[in-house]
């Protein structure tokens, strides 16, 4: 006689459904992070990500305009300023909103039950001229209103995913509402990557229509120089423009990499603009160290970053005489008098001569002083 398996009870089915839902959600989220390059193997450290402000529930409010400014500093911090204009076509209403950042990875940090992200600083939200108070929480990734239900001890499993949330009540008047959001977060890094700045754009799709009516991205290198790349998948068809300072832009493909937007900036700003923008991907601003090594005489073509925080530039035997000690000057655009040095540095794509620059050590970092003194 054939045995018919007993049907599980409704409660068992319900529990199994919930478990499967949670597991599927976490698996999808982990895969998304891996694809986006936010979590690396043991050769990388991920501190935090930037993100959009989002509603916790569906809403009929839309983003009419957004200006996102990311400033890259030599102190290892990315500073974010976002100016939103939200359009409320209905009556005045209060919407619960939030901001989410994934837990650090490869940092040895343990879960902070207060919900305050250990690598995000100076978080503020000002709406229609009024600073909004917020509450912190540890939540399930992608679900600001769902508390984290994983291990509660100080040592969650390495691949156990959770996020830190900043949540607040926002009262929208009829018509346009202006919101200014500011914070800074620690840049990530890894072998071959002096810095990496992940920023999530896709969550903007949670607002009505899933688009941003008028979107501007600005990336700045104030009082320093930066050389970075970003995947071109999101920007294809729209041009980047240098709007301040000195800079250059090209589209590249190094080795196995996808098509990239490559930017060199010196005390400048590069800007990208689009209308009716529907974010189909997130962005990751990544130092160009590794990628340029495929294309130029490595490490001759590698950009010299002034940052003290991460990688240290180490000249190898066989380098042309005078290269190391002159890197800080080339980084600032000095036009060399010696023909050999002019020829040498002209091979660096990121080198941008500035005839007005007078050589000075006034803004040299301690690291740059060491570089000059050690290679006299």
């Amino acid at each position: 006689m054939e045995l018919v398996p007993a049907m599980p009870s409704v409660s068992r089915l319900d529990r199994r459904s919930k478990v499967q839902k949670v597991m599927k959600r976490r698996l999808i989220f982990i895969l998304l992070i891996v694809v986006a390059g936010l979590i690396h193997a043991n050769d990388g450290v991920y501190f935090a990500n930037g993100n959009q402000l989002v509603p916790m529930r569906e809403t009929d409010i839309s983003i009419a305009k957004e200006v996102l400014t990311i400033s890259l500093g030599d102190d290892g911090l990315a500073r974010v300023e976002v100016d939103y204009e939200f359009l409320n076509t209905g009556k005045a209403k209060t919407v619960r909103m939030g901001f989410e950042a994934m837990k650090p990875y490869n940092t040895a940090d343990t879960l902070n039950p207060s919900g305050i992200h250990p690598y995000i600083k100076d978080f503020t939200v000002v709406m229609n001229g009024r600073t909004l108070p917020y509450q912190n929480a540890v939540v399930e990734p992608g679900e600001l209103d769902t508390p984290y239900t994983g291990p509660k001890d100080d040592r969650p499993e390495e691949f156990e995913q959770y996020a830190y949330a900043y949540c607040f009540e926002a009262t929208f008047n009829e018509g346009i509402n202006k919101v200014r959001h500011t914070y800074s977060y620690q840049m990530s890094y890894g072998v071959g990557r002096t810095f990496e700045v992940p920023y999530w754009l896709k969550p903007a799709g949670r607002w009505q229509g899933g688009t941003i009516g008028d979107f501007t991205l600005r990336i700045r290198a104030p009082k320093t120089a930066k050389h970075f790349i970003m995947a071109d998948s999101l920007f294809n068809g729209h041009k980047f423009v240098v709007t301040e300072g000195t800079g250059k832009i090209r589209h590249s493909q190094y080795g196995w990499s996808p098509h990239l937007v490559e930017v060199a900036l010196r005390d400048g700003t590069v800007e990208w603009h689009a209308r009716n923008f529907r974010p189909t991907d997130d962005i990751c601003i990544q130092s160009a160290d590794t990628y340029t090594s495929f294309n130029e005489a490595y490490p001759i073509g590698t950009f010299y970053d002034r940052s003290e925080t991460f990688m240290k530039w180490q000249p190898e035997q066989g380098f042309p005489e005078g290269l190391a000690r002159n890197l800080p000057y080339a980084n600032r655009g000095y036009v060399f008098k010696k023909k050999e040095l002019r020829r040498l540095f002209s091979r660096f794509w990121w080198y941008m001569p500035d005839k007005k620059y007078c050589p000075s050590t006034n803004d040299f970092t301690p690291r740059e002083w060491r570089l000059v003194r050690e290679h006299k």
Side-chain angles (χ1 to χ4, degrees):
M1 181 175 64
E2 184 177 1
L3 296 177
V4 179
M7 293 295 291
S9 67
V10 174
S11 60
R12 286 174 58 195
L13 283 172
D14 186 58
R15 286 197 300 271
R16 182 182 301 173
S17 176
K18 288 183 178 179
V19 171
Q20 290 174 342
K21 181 179 179 182
V22 170
M23 292 300 293
K24 181 178 179 181
R25 185 173 64 228
R26 291 181 181 175
L27 178 60
I28 290 173
F29 201 84
I30 292 171
L31 289 173
L32 287 174
I33 292 175
V34 171
V35 171
L38 302 184
I39 288 183
H40 305 286
N42 291 331
D43 66 345
V45 175
Y46 164 75
F47 288 110
N49 60 273
N51 203 348
Q52 300 285 105
L53 293 179
V54 296
M56 293 191 185
R57 294 282 187 270
E58 290 185 11
T59 179
D60 58 358
I61 295 172
S62 60
I63 305 178
K65 184 176 182 179
E66 178 181 345
V67 179
L68 166 61
T69 303
I70 302 175
S71 298
L72 309 176
D74 287 331
D75 58 359
L77 292 177
R79 290 172 173 80
V80 178
E81 300 169 288
V82 196
D83 289 294
Y84 295 96
E85 290 186 10
F86 290 98
L87 176 61
N88 177 20
T89 57
K91 296 181 179 180
K93 66 190 71 176
T94 298
V95 175
R96 187 155 176 76
M97 295 172 57
F99 168 92
E100 173 189 1
M102 283 299 295
K103 70 161 192 175
Y105 175 79
N106 240 6
T107 63
D109 286 279
T110 56
L111 185 150
N112 181 2
S114 73
I116 300 174
H117 198 292
Y119 297 104
I120 292 179
K121 301 178 180 179
D122 305 321
F123 186 95
T124 65
V125 179
V126 178
M127 183 173 191
N128 295 327
R130 185 174 74 90
T131 300
L132 302 184
Y134 58 85
Q135 300 82 41
N136 291 98
V138 182
V139 300
E140 293 287 341
E143 300 191 22
L144 288 168
D145 58 346
T146 305
Y148 172 63
T149 57
K152 296 300 182 183
D153 60 16
D154 289 337
R155 295 182 177 275
E157 296 179 11
E158 182 179 4
F159 293 104
E160 184 67 26
Q161 297 301 305
Y162 57 86
Y164 291 103
Y166 295 68
C167 305
F168 52 91
E169 303 283 342
T171 299
F172 288 85
N173 302 322
E174 295 182 27
I176 292 292
N177 294 262
K178 295 185 178 182
V179 174
R180 182 169 177 78
H181 182 209
T182 62
Y183 57 98
S184 61
Y185 64 105
Q186 188 75 38
M187 299 182 194
S188 301
Y189 69 95
V191 174
R193 302 183 300 276
T194 306
F195 62 85
E196 199 165 79
V197 182
Y199 194 99
W200 296 357
L201 287 174
K202 289 193 292 185
R206 300 182 193 178
W207 294 96
Q208 175 67 26
T211 61
I212 302 171
D214 189 311
F215 178 76
T216 299
L217 170 64
R218 292 175 181 154
I219 303 174
R220 303 177 63 240
K223 298 181 180 179
T224 187
K226 296 294 176 185
H227 180 198
F228 56 89
I229 53 95
M230 295 177 289
D232 200 17
S233 57
L234 187 68
F235 308 113
N236 193 26
H238 298 269
K239 293 183 178 180
F240 276 86
V241 178
V242 177
T243 57
E244 294 177 331
T246 304
K248 56 172 62 173
I249 304 160
R250 67 179 176 181
H251 293 265
S252 311
Q253 186 174 18
Y254 297 135
W256 44 264
S257 72
H259 290 281
L260 303 167
V261 175
E262 184 175 358
V263 178
L265 278 180
R266 185 171 64 239
D267 194 17
T269 302
V270 66
E271 186 171 300
W272 181 84
H273 179 255
R275 293 188 181 277
N276 299 317
F277 174 55
R278 184 181 296 274
T280 57
D281 206 349
D282 299 317
I283 60 173
C284 187
I285 305 167
Q286 187 178 90
S287 64
D289 316 44
T290 300
Y291 294 92
T292 53
S293 69
F294 286 106
N295 192 54
E296 302 178 27
Y298 181 75
I300 294 292
T302 301
F303 176 72
Y304 171 73
D305 194 286
R306 302 180 197 175
S307 171
E308 287 275 337
T309 310
F310 303 130
M311 297 176 61
K312 296 187 180 299
W313 196 91
Q314 295 290 347
E316 298 177 0
Q317 291 183 354
F319 268 40
E321 183 180 357
L323 173 66
R325 67 174 175 266
N326 282 296
L327 273 169
Y329 297 101
N331 186 279
R332 290 161 173 79
Y334 179 57
V335 179
F336 296 94
K337 294 181 174 63
K338 290 185 178 180
K339 183 183 298 185
E340 178 60 23
L341 288 175
R342 288 201 306 271
R343 184 195 64 79
L344 172 65
F345 283 104
S346 67
R347 295 169 57 190
F348 291 45
W349 178 78
W350 54 261
Y351 175 58
M352 296 174 285
D354 180 3
K355 294 181 179 180
K356 297 180 180 179
Y357 172 69
C358 296
S360 170
T361 59
N362 291 340
D363 64 344
F364 273 26
T365 66
R367 176 188 173 192
E368 289 177 316
W369 272 114
R370 292 196 302 270
L371 193 65
V372 171
R373 289 168 178 165
E374 291 172 5
H375 297 278
K376 290 182 178 180

